[in-house]
Amino acid sequence: MSDAILVFIATVVGVAAGSGITWWGAVDLNRKQNFSIASAKFINAFSSEISILDHPIAQQAGTTYNVLLEAFQRHNVACIEFNVFVPKPLRAGFNEAWETYRKHSANFNQEWPDHEKMNHLCEYLATNDEEERNARDLALKRLNRLLSYANVR
């Protein structure tokens, strides 16, 4: 009788352990799949602008400022939606990357004393070709930093 009880207990413990491992594996897989889907959606929200900025066709692409301003609402929504999928230890860095992209620096505020009247992307404004190249390079650098959080797993 005691052998039957031991076998029963061993079976119950084995089933419980197997179920727990299977459940943990399924939850982890689901989390990874959700992150992959959210990452693809997040990257897709920025892909057109990165393509335009990375390979502008003469003046037809528009200025960096205009390209980013036109897409800003879509970018903002994408960041809000993706924020919940960023791992908690990396979330502060992600939010900082977003703020760096969308807000102008303190030095820029000093150069534009009426910055309250300007919008959030005014750091990408340019008055000549060299400033436009610098604005485009800055925007691409910041966008790529932001998108790097979609590839953390």
Side-chain angles (χ1 to χ4, degrees), residues 49 53 63-73 75 101 121 124 135 139 143:
E49 290 70 40
L53 295 174
T63 64
T64 300
Y65 174 79
N66 289 337
V67 168
L68 297 179
L69 184 62
E70 186 176 311
F72 182 76
Q73 188 62 33
H75 293 175
Y101 161 71
L121 296 173
Y124 306 107
L143 286 171

Side-chain angles (χ1 to χ4, degrees), residues 38-51:
S39 292
K41 185 177 177 185
F42 182 65
I43 291 169
N44 189 48
F46 292 86
S47 60
S48 293
E49 290 70 40
I50 288 177
S51 176

